[in-house]
mmCIF file of all heavy atoms in Angstrom:
data_model
loop_
_atom_site.group_PDB
_atom_site.id
_atom_site.type_symbol
_atom_site.label_atom_id
_atom_site.label_comp_id
_atom_site.label_asym_id
_atom_site.label_seq_id
_atom_site.Cartn_x
_atom_site.Cartn_y
_atom_site.Cartn_z
ATOM 1 N N SER B 226 48.103 98.049 121.527
ATOM 2 C CA SER B 226 46.884 98.848 121.389
ATOM 3 C C SER B 226 47.278 100.308 121.347
ATOM 4 O O SER B 226 48.374 100.676 121.801
ATOM 5 C CB SER B 226 45.981 98.544 122.602
ATOM 6 O OG SER B 226 45.348 99.703 123.107
ATOM 7 N N PRO B 227 46.385 101.170 120.845
ATOM 8 C CA PRO B 227 46.733 102.606 120.913
ATOM 9 C C PRO B 227 46.831 103.130 122.347
ATOM 10 O O PRO B 227 47.364 104.198 122.571
ATOM 11 C CB PRO B 227 45.597 103.287 120.146
ATOM 12 C CG PRO B 227 44.503 102.295 120.089
ATOM 13 C CD PRO B 227 45.130 100.950 120.123
ATOM 14 N N PHE B 228 46.330 102.371 123.310
ATOM 15 C CA PHE B 228 46.461 102.766 124.712
ATOM 16 C C PHE B 228 47.750 102.211 125.335
ATOM 17 O O PHE B 228 47.953 102.342 126.549
ATOM 18 C CB PHE B 228 45.260 102.271 125.519
ATOM 19 C CG PHE B 228 43.958 102.893 125.076
ATOM 20 C CD1 PHE B 228 43.132 102.241 124.184
ATOM 21 C CD2 PHE B 228 43.563 104.136 125.535
ATOM 22 C CE1 PHE B 228 41.926 102.802 123.766
ATOM 23 C CE2 PHE B 228 42.372 104.713 125.106
ATOM 24 C CZ PHE B 228 41.547 104.035 124.209
ATOM 25 N N ALA B 229 48.589 101.571 124.529
ATOM 26 C CA ALA B 229 49.772 100.906 125.054
ATOM 27 C C ALA B 229 51.070 101.721 125.050
ATOM 28 O O ALA B 229 51.787 101.727 126.037
ATOM 29 C CB ALA B 229 49.989 99.591 124.308
ATOM 30 N N PRO B 230 51.399 102.434 123.933
ATOM 31 C CA PRO B 230 52.705 103.107 123.913
ATOM 32 C C PRO B 230 52.662 104.424 124.670
ATOM 33 O O PRO B 230 52.903 105.503 124.121
ATOM 34 C CB PRO B 230 52.968 103.313 122.417
ATOM 35 C CG PRO B 230 51.660 103.295 121.775
ATOM 36 C CD PRO B 230 50.679 102.571 122.653
ATOM 37 N N THR B 231 52.309 104.340 125.931
ATOM 38 C CA THR B 231 52.140 105.494 126.776
ATOM 39 C C THR B 231 53.513 105.941 127.297
ATOM 40 O O THR B 231 54.520 105.223 127.112
ATOM 41 C CB THR B 231 51.200 105.155 127.948
ATOM 42 O OG1 THR B 231 51.622 103.905 128.525
ATOM 43 C CG2 THR B 231 49.775 104.980 127.456
ATOM 44 N N VAL B 232 53.529 107.087 127.963
ATOM 45 C CA VAL B 232 54.802 107.615 128.470
ATOM 46 C C VAL B 232 54.690 107.816 129.980
ATOM 47 O O VAL B 232 53.717 108.400 130.459
ATOM 48 C CB VAL B 232 55.160 108.937 127.770
ATOM 49 C CG1 VAL B 232 56.422 109.533 128.370
ATOM 50 C CG2 VAL B 232 55.334 108.722 126.272
ATOM 51 N N SER B 233 55.662 107.307 130.682
ATOM 52 C CA SER B 233 55.735 107.504 132.139
ATOM 53 C C SER B 233 57.119 108.059 132.461
ATOM 54 O O SER B 233 58.132 107.437 132.081
ATOM 55 C CB SER B 233 55.535 106.196 132.897
ATOM 56 O OG SER B 233 54.346 105.594 132.504
ATOM 57 N N ASN B 234 57.170 109.176 133.141
ATOM 58 C CA ASN B 234 58.446 109.784 133.513
ATOM 59 C C ASN B 234 59.378 109.902 132.307
ATOM 60 O O ASN B 234 60.562 109.492 132.369
ATOM 61 C CB ASN B 234 59.126 108.995 134.637
ATOM 62 C CG ASN B 234 58.242 108.892 135.852
ATOM 63 O OD1 ASN B 234 57.619 109.881 136.247
ATOM 64 N ND2 ASN B 234 58.132 107.703 136.414
ATOM 65 N N ASP B 235 58.845 110.393 131.214
ATOM 66 C CA ASP B 235 59.619 110.648 129.990
ATOM 67 C C ASP B 235 60.016 109.386 129.222
ATOM 68 O O ASP B 235 60.757 109.475 128.240
ATOM 69 C CB ASP B 235 60.901 111.461 130.264
ATOM 70 C CG ASP B 235 60.593 112.849 130.764
ATOM 71 O OD1 ASP B 235 59.484 113.350 130.430
ATOM 72 O OD2 ASP B 235 61.426 113.437 131.497
ATOM 73 N N HIS B 236 59.634 108.212 129.679
ATOM 74 C CA HIS B 236 60.003 106.980 128.977
ATOM 75 C C HIS B 236 58.752 106.299 128.404
ATOM 76 O O HIS B 236 57.731 106.218 129.076
ATOM 77 C CB HIS B 236 60.703 105.983 129.926
ATOM 78 C CG HIS B 236 62.091 106.405 130.263
ATOM 79 N ND1 HIS B 236 62.409 107.086 131.427
ATOM 80 C CD2 HIS B 236 63.266 106.268 129.579
ATOM 81 C CE1 HIS B 236 63.691 107.336 131.442
ATOM 82 N NE2 HIS B 236 64.246 106.841 130.335
ATOM 83 N N VAL B 237 58.900 105.813 127.175
ATOM 84 C CA VAL B 237 57.801 105.056 126.580
ATOM 85 C C VAL B 237 57.686 103.729 127.302
ATOM 86 O O VAL B 237 58.665 103.002 127.456
ATOM 87 C CB VAL B 237 58.053 104.842 125.064
ATOM 88 C CG1 VAL B 237 56.938 103.965 124.475
ATOM 89 C CG2 VAL B 237 58.109 106.178 124.329
ATOM 90 N N ASP B 238 56.467 103.432 127.775
ATOM 91 C CA ASP B 238 56.261 102.164 128.494
ATOM 92 C C ASP B 238 56.437 100.975 127.550
ATOM 93 O O ASP B 238 55.951 100.989 126.413
ATOM 94 C CB ASP B 238 54.846 102.147 129.086
ATOM 95 C CG ASP B 238 54.681 103.209 130.153
ATOM 96 O OD1 ASP B 238 55.554 103.303 131.035
ATOM 97 O OD2 ASP B 238 53.681 103.958 130.110
ATOM 98 N N THR B 239 57.080 99.934 128.044
ATOM 99 C CA THR B 239 57.349 98.773 127.193
ATOM 100 C C THR B 239 56.534 97.552 127.608
ATOM 101 O O THR B 239 56.691 96.485 127.005
ATOM 102 C CB THR B 239 58.852 98.406 127.229
ATOM 103 O OG1 THR B 239 59.253 98.258 128.590
ATOM 104 C CG2 THR B 239 59.694 99.459 126.552
ATOM 105 N N ASP B 240 55.671 97.680 128.623
ATOM 106 C CA ASP B 240 54.962 96.497 129.096
ATOM 107 C C ASP B 240 54.002 95.933 128.040
ATOM 108 O O ASP B 240 53.675 94.745 128.129
ATOM 109 C CB ASP B 240 54.193 96.790 130.400
ATOM 110 C CG ASP B 240 53.235 97.955 130.261
ATOM 111 O OD1 ASP B 240 53.543 98.898 129.532
ATOM 112 O OD2 ASP B 240 52.158 97.918 130.905
#
Side-chain angles (χ1 to χ4, degrees):
Chain B
S226 139
F228 296 96
T231 48
V232 176
S233 305
N234 302 317
D235 295 334
H236 286 97
V237 176
D238 295 312
T239 53
D240 56 326

